Amino acid sequence: GKHTVKLDNKAADVRVKPFTLDMGIKFELHVTISGKKINVSEIPELSIPEDWMRDKLELNFYKSEQGGGGAVENVNYDKQSRTAVITFLRPG
């Protein structure tokens, strides 16, 4: 259906449309940890937009708060080199 969403004192009309999700993909990442940043390499090439990959990386390291993750400040993803630098809000 149609919905109205208010963002920053502005209203936007949005419409919900169903879509099919592809099967999940598991992959292995190689990580180097240093203070507030984690260097991730050998990120597999997936046929998804770069902003989706940044979101996936952010969620992965945010969810792992008990294992050394936490609130993410920035994700700098380089599709060509298949690397990313995850910067956290606090060192840990």
Side-chain angles (χ1 to χ4, degrees), residues 2 8 10 16 38-39 41 44 46 48 50 52 56 59 65 67 73 78 90-91:
K2 186 177 176 184
D8 296 329
K10 295 182 181 177
V16 178
I38 294 179
N39 297 319
S41 61
L46 301 177
I48 60 174
E50 288 185 39
W52 288 17
K56 285 182 174 295
L59 286 171
E65 191 165 348
E73 180 180 323
D78 184 349
R90 295 179 306 279

Side-chain angles (χ1 to χ4, degrees), residues 9-79:
N9 298 323
K10 295 182 181 177
D13 292 328
V14 294
R15 184 174 306 275
V16 178
K17 293 184 178 182
F19 63 95
T20 303
L21 290 174
D22 293 333
M23 293 292 294
I25 299 172
K26 289 186 177 184
F27 53 87
E28 179 180 334
L29 300 174
H30 296 262
V31 176
T32 304
I33 301 172
S34 171
K36 278 182 66 172
K37 295 183 180 186
I38 294 179
N39 297 319
V40 183
S41 61
E42 299 186 39
I43 299 170
E45 289 187 44
L46 301 177
S47 59
I48 60 174
E50 288 185 39
D51 57 332
W52 288 17
M53 180 60 84
R54 279 190 291 275
D55 290 347
K56 285 182 174 295
L57 289 165
E58 180 175 349
L59 286 171
N60 183 68
F61 288 97
Y62 181 81
K63 287 192 311 186
S64 63
E65 191 165 348
Q66 295 84 10
V72 174
E73 180 180 323
N74 184 48
V75 175
N76 186 357
Y77 170 62
D78 184 349
K79 185 175 184 172

